[in-house]
Amino acid sequence: MRSVRFDRLTVEITNGDIVEQNDCDAIVNAANAQLRTGGGVAGAIHSAGDPELEELTKPLAPIEPGEAVITEAPNMPFKYVIHCLGPVYGKDTPSDELLTNCYSNALKLADEHQVESIAFPSISTGAFGYPMKEAATVAFETIKKSAPNLRSVSYVRFVLWSPADYNLHWDVLKEM
Ligand code: AR6
């Protein structure tokens, strides 16, 4: 794990599985518009919890690219799951603006719910095809820009699925 500080916010990166970040108050889902289970992160989160999670998300769907909604986290060690719909790269445009909205909306929702620590996956970089380095730049720039406005959130963990993704994210983060 490596970390940097933006104002009073600590941003840490780690290699691992989003559903194993048991010490965080909230985790973020790289969701689909229907807020159902799926592949990748959405599949992992919905199978880690129980079917009640889909019952909680159903009335909130569908959501638009860039939007974020919050639910409790039934049978998981977190207080909340924040579900974000990332842009399909090059199809939902402008993709960089929509990805920015995901991170800023998720952080705002977390802060409104008195979340202190939150774990993000790399939204849109799997099934939705966003190039990893560009996505990392958008993510960290948005987190840095949001930092001065956060009252409750003091810790952000960025969880990368592979060592290669972790290294690439550190290359981007250390330049900030
Ligand atoms: N923990 C952390 N990161 C993960 C995990 C995990 N358990 N699993 C995959 N990743 P994706 P998207 C990485 O496809 O691109 C779903 O089917 C993965 O390597 O989960 O936003 C939904 O239903 C990649 O870097 O999300 C949607 O339809 C990143 O997490 C669609 O995919 C995001 O991959 C959303 O696509």
Side-chain angles (χ1 to χ4, degrees), residues 16-18 30-32 38-42 44 122-128 132 159 161:
D17 189 329
I18 192 78
N32 48 68
V41 170
S122 172
I123 299 169
S124 280
T125 60
F128 286 176
M132 186 71 68
V159 183
W161 191 231

Side-chain angles (χ1 to χ4, degrees), residues 9-160:
L9 185 72
T10 300
V11 180
E12 192 163 69
I13 60 166
T14 190
N15 179 205
D17 189 329
I18 192 78
V19 298
E20 286 173 8
Q21 311 307 312
N22 296 356
D23 54 334
C24 287
D25 295 335
I27 58 169
V28 174
N29 184 11
N32 48 68
Q34 296 305 322
L35 302 174
R36 296 288 175 86
T37 188
V41 170
I45 292 178
H46 279 274
S47 22
D50 68 17
E52 202 192 325
L53 183 59
E54 275 201 341
E55 294 307 314
L56 297 179
T57 54
K58 248 185 219 165
L60 306 174
I63 63 168
E64 299 289 323
E67 208 180 329
V69 294
I70 190 165
T71 64
E72 288 179 354
N75 279 325
M76 288 188 268
F78 322 106
K79 289 185 195 147
Y80 300 107
V81 179
I82 296 178
H83 309 261
C84 288
L85 179 61
V88 176
Y89 186 69
K91 177 172 169 279
D92 298 319
T93 53
S95 296
D96 56 348
E97 223 171 85
L98 295 170
L99 190 61
T100 298
N101 294 347
C102 283
Y103 287 100
S104 59
N105 286 332
L107 286 169
K108 190 161 175 273
L109 260 184
D111 212 52
E112 286 167 2
H113 287 77
Q114 283 77 49
V115 165
E116 290 177 12
S117 53
I118 182 169
F120 280 92
S122 172
I123 299 169
S124 280
T125 60
F128 286 176
Y130 212 116
M132 186 71 68
K133 190 166 185 188
E134 291 173 30
T137 304
V138 169
F140 293 139
E141 276 177 353
T142 309
I143 293 166
K144 187 175 183 181
K145 207 168 160 195
S146 300
N149 304 323
L150 299 172
R151 295 285 158 267
S152 175
V153 178
S154 60
Y155 177 88
V156 171
R157 184 178 298 158
F158 219 82
V159 183
L160 288 321

